[in-house]
Amino acid sequence: MNLVDKQLVQRRRKKRLFSNRIMRQIFFSASVFGIVVLAVLLYRIFREGLPYLDIDFLTSFASRFPEEAGIKAAITGSVWLMAVTAPVSVVLGVGTAVYLEEYAKENMFTRFIRMNISNLAGVPSVVFGLLGLTVFVRLMEMGRSIIAGGFTMSLLILPIIVVASQEAIRAIPNSQYEASYAMGATKWQTIRRVVLPAALPGILTGGILALSRAIGETAPLLMIGALSFIAYLPENIWSGFTVLPIQIFNWTARPQEEFHLVASTGIIILLFILLLMNSVAVLIRHKYSKRY
């Protein structure tokens, strides 16, 4: 007795194969659409910006005249800002991750903290700008300084670094802990000599990707009152500053068409920096990752 209806099986098989082809075409079309839009955008940026890209553009200050405008102050300000943001965010982020994963007891309060840290990673950046304006600029009276901007950007990327560090620490197998404890090491010695070195590739990757987000942000710095036009270099962390995204925003807001072309040149520099930072993160991940 034949209990299988072959015709029914064939019809259902053809239906599944047809649905599979349809979904594959939809996903392929979505990928092609994104690539085409990105290619058109890059083509326009490079076509408009390359004629202005030279040494003078990199070594000149902002100007009222497009042919004399440069990004020297913006690049220097971005470096100063990252010099404050990087150590603050990495130290606090890694320390928070180590505490939550190694020392904190598993209870409702710890789960509440972890959930809120994950949620903070999706909060709009302008909210962190409002927080920085309230706490650092006004309450702590830091003014429109590099240190106020650095602390604000640290708050922005801190959840990303915490989550990335937590995932890197969780990836370490228990056998590594057990081997360290069997040798007589204390918990802190195990963390310092076993856990952190093994988790370092993931921590560095997450940190670099978080800093690449910070260097491209504009809204938080606009909220704390970062300058859009300066013709001097910052002298210390209490100096006024501008950064590449704000300088580009200032140029695009100008009515003259020439400033829009100069903004395209600034976008090329910013894209190069972001690609360089992301490439370093990928290289670190591939070179130093260990598979247990």
Side-chain angles (χ1 to χ4, degrees):
M1 183 178 179
N2 189 6
L3 300 178
V4 178
D5 189 345
K6 294 183 178 180
Q7 292 183 353
L8 179 61
V9 172
Q10 287 294 332
R11 286 197 301 269
R12 290 184 176 179
R13 180 174 178 272
K14 290 180 180 180
K15 184 178 180 180
R16 290 196 300 268
L17 292 175
F18 178 75
S19 300
N20 179 68
R21 286 194 295 268
I22 292 297
M23 296 307 299
R24 183 175 61 181
Q25 292 300 325
I26 291 175
F27 294 145
F28 177 75
S29 301
S31 301
V32 171
F33 177 77
I35 294 174
V36 169
V37 171
L38 178 61
V40 172
L41 179 63
L42 291 177
Y43 170 75
R44 180 179 177 183
I45 290 173
F46 280 90
R47 179 174 60 84
E48 295 179 351
L50 282 178
Y52 287 87
L53 183 59
D54 52 22
I55 297 299
D56 292 335
F57 180 76
L58 299 176
T59 58
S60 300
F61 291 102
S63 174
R64 295 179 299 166
F65 307 102
E67 61 275 6
E68 299 179 3
I71 56 172
K72 182 178 181 179
I75 290 180
T76 306
S78 296
V79 172
W80 271 96
L81 187 68
M82 291 300 103
V84 175
T85 303
V88 172
S89 57
V90 170
V91 170
L92 291 179
V94 175
T96 302
V98 169
Y99 174 76
L100 291 176
E101 293 299 321
E102 302 294 340
Y103 291 103
K105 295 181 179 180
E106 189 63 32
N107 51 37
M108 185 178 296
F109 180 71
T110 304
R111 290 193 294 270
F112 176 77
I113 293 177
R114 289 173 178 168
M115 180 185 67
N116 280 276
I117 289 175
S118 300
N119 291 336
L120 282 174
V123 173
S125 59
V126 67
V127 176
F128 291 97
L130 290 172
L131 180 61
L133 175 65
T134 303
V135 176
F136 301 127
V137 176
R138 295 180 177 175
L139 185 62
M140 302 182 67
E141 297 182 353
M142 293 182 178
R144 303 177 180 182
S145 60
I146 292 174
I147 190 170
F151 285 169
T152 302
M153 301 309 289
S154 297
L155 293 178
L156 173 66
I157 65 175
L158 191 59
I160 303 174
I161 296 178
V162 172
V163 172
S165 301
Q166 283 181 293
E167 294 299 328
I169 293 173
R170 289 172 189 166
I172 301 173
N174 290 331
S175 59
Q176 300 293 316
Y177 291 87
E178 294 170 358
S180 179
Y181 293 145
M183 297 295 293
T186 62
K187 190 174 186 63
W188 168 240
Q189 289 174 329
T190 300
I191 293 173
R192 183 166 59 91
R193 298 179 181 179
V194 177
V195 176
L196 290 180
L200 189 60
I203 294 173
L204 289 178
T205 301
I208 293 174
L209 293 178
L211 290 174
S212 66
R213 179 192 175 185
I215 201 172
E217 283 288 347
T218 306
L221 299 178
L222 288 176
M223 292 304 302
I224 67 170
L227 303 174
S228 60
F229 182 91
I230 60 174
Y232 59 87
L233 297 179
E235 297 180 355
N236 51 57
I237 59 176
W238 300 103
S239 301
F241 71 103
T242 189
V243 292
L244 274 171
I246 292 181
Q247 185 66 72
I248 294 170
F249 173 78
N250 182 37
W251 283 332
T252 56
R254 298 289 185 91
Q256 297 92 333
E257 181 66 23
E258 291 79 7
F259 276 113
H260 298 171
L261 303 180
V262 175
S264 297
T265 310
I267 292 173
I268 293 174
I269 300 299
L270 184 58
L271 282 175
F272 174 78
I273 295 174
L274 293 175
L275 288 175
L276 181 63
M277 295 179 70
N278 287 317
S279 299
V280 170
V282 172
L283 290 175
I284 290 174
R285 167 68 72 179
H286 284 288
K287 185 172 182 179
Y288 295 104
S289 292
K290 293 182 179 180
R291 298 186 182 275
Y292 298 99

